[in-house]
Amino acid sequence: MSLTVLVNAGPWLPVPPKGYGGIENIVATLVPELRRLGVRVVLGTVDSSELPVDEKLAVFAEGQFGHLQRPYNQACGIVQSHLHAVVRRVRDGGDIDLVHDHVEAAGLATLAALGPDAPPVLHTLHWDLAKHPELYGGFDGGDRVRVNGVSASQLARAPKALRDHSVGHVHLATPLAVDAERRLADRGGAAAKGRHVVVLGRINPGKGQDLAARLAHRAGFDLVLAGPVGPYQQPAELAAAEHDPVAAANPDVRFWRERVAPYVDGERVRWIGTVAGRDRDDLVASARVSLFPLRWAEPGGTAVVESLALGTPVVGLAEGCLPELVVHGDTGLLTTDEETLADLVNWAGEIDPRRCAAEAARRFTPAVMAESYLTLYERVRKGPLLS
Ligand code: UDP
């Protein structure tokens, strides 16, 4: 018997997203695999989404990200219009077996109130919930809503009301993990590794680029920082905002200006802005180490699994999901001590890139993720917690 799942990606960005869009990227990775496994997918999204699905459900023509209101948990008009269409589709169609929701907490109450005859809802948590407890402040999933994390550590830090409704966790996946070993060999394997260490991620205090930059100077390794600073994707864009008071008030811009930029000399430490597609893959694949000097509990770590899939050992602080994703001594090196990170960068030369790629191919492919979700779907549909 085939399963029909309404995967709700929300009204903010198309699927796949054109640029930024972690949640929408995960949905774009998951849905084709679910369909390959025989699931019928109705996608709650915006009309400009190009991902092939069995049915597209859209209220808005384009992504509404530009109109995003904060805090996210306030169910604004955009979310409500989108969710009402989802609710109508579920009620009127009568064919949906489960709603797999990826929209932030806003509107969970709407889905929870679908009624006793409605299909259950699985809501995937995408945030560090200890840092953002307000997101699910009034959460009451009742009997209809279950949640899953993107790592065990994320769930462990979540508020009790969410943990009580949890059915487990599913690690994030990357299409780069498919055939990772062959692609590593095609690139020349370890021989193609350059001298640089890379930090891939938003420039943000939690991602720790300040620590990386300081260590690069102290220990003498070449460091490339890739990622946006707040809304500024490229150095030229940020430079153009030099006297802009809005930019000055942005916490990521402040972090950059005060804590990171003083170390960026264009030689030992470089910031290259956001890299995408093939450029991103080449940058990471040719790095000798992918560094995660995290100061926050990374909830899912897409960039971590991507690094492994590209055959690049991960060195980092053992925060959040990192110890779940990285096998210490085998695919990377982790520590709880900031000052030893630089030593680990040197020692990571002992890690075999093929081990990283093999581990990614075993654990972080879209197929593995989709199969895990199928298991959760069954758990949610049959779970003892549901009335
Ligand atoms: N990313 C990118 N180019 C950059 C920096 C980051 O494509 O210059 C991507 C990265 O490859 C990953 C995503 O942005 O897919 C970041 O996701 P992650 O879960 O690592 O961190 P988040 O930003 O969600 O905390």
Side-chain angles (χ1 to χ4, degrees), residues 139 157-166:
F139 175 77
R157 289 165 54 87
K160 184 172 182 309
L162 288 172
R163 276 186 280 121
D164 287 348
H165 285 75
S166 154

Side-chain angles (χ1 to χ4, degrees), residues 115-331:
D117 299 330
V121 176
L122 175 65
H123 174 80
T124 298
L125 304 166
H126 288 279
W127 290 72
D128 173 13
L129 299 161
K131 201 164 172 219
H132 295 284
E134 78 287 357
L135 282 178
Y136 291 85
F139 175 77
D140 173 12
D143 280 342
R144 310 311 304 165
V145 176
R146 293 292 168 264
V147 303
N148 78 276
V150 291
S151 66
S153 91
Q154 178 206 33
L155 273 181
R157 289 165 54 87
K160 184 172 182 309
L162 288 172
R163 276 186 280 121
D164 287 348
H165 285 75
S166 154
V167 286
H169 69 273
V170 177
H171 287 138
L172 299 177
T174 170
L176 294 169
V178 179
D179 282 340
E181 294 149 285
R182 182 185 53 73
R183 280 186 293 116
L184 176 68
D186 289 350
R187 285 177 189 273
K193 293 281 174 202
R195 285 162 36 88
H196 66 280
V197 170
V198 67
V199 177
L200 180 70
R202 295 174 285 119
I203 311 280
N204 174 275
K207 303 278 184 187
Q209 286 91 350
D210 56 332
L211 173 59
R214 182 166 64 75
L215 293 178
H217 282 286
R218 202 190 69 194
F221 58 82
D222 293 344
L223 180 69
V224 178
L225 306 174
V229 174
Y232 306 99
Q233 302 291 332
Q234 303 303 335
E237 288 172 40
L238 184 58
E242 196 183 342
H243 303 295
D244 181 345
V246 177
N250 183 299
D252 289 345
V253 173
R254 280 222 307 273
F255 170 68
W256 161 260
R257 286 184 178 159
E258 291 167 15
R259 307 276 303 279
V260 187
Y263 295 104
V264 177
D265 59 1
E267 288 181 13
R268 183 61 83 197
V269 180
R270 291 186 293 141
W271 173 48
I272 59 169
T274 302
V275 285
R278 183 78 207 213
D279 289 343
R280 181 200 62 179
D281 297 351
D282 287 345
L283 173 75
V284 176
S286 63
R288 61 191 177 93
V289 167
S290 199
L291 184 58
F292 291 87
L294 300 172
R295 259 72 164 272
W296 79 322
E298 185 76 35
T302 317
V304 177
V305 297
E306 290 165 347
S307 298
L308 296 173
L310 290 162
T312 300
V314 169
V315 168
L317 289 177
E319 294 286 350
C321 63
L322 236 66
E324 292 170 52
L325 305 181
V326 178
V327 182
H328 179 72
D330 190 33
T331 62

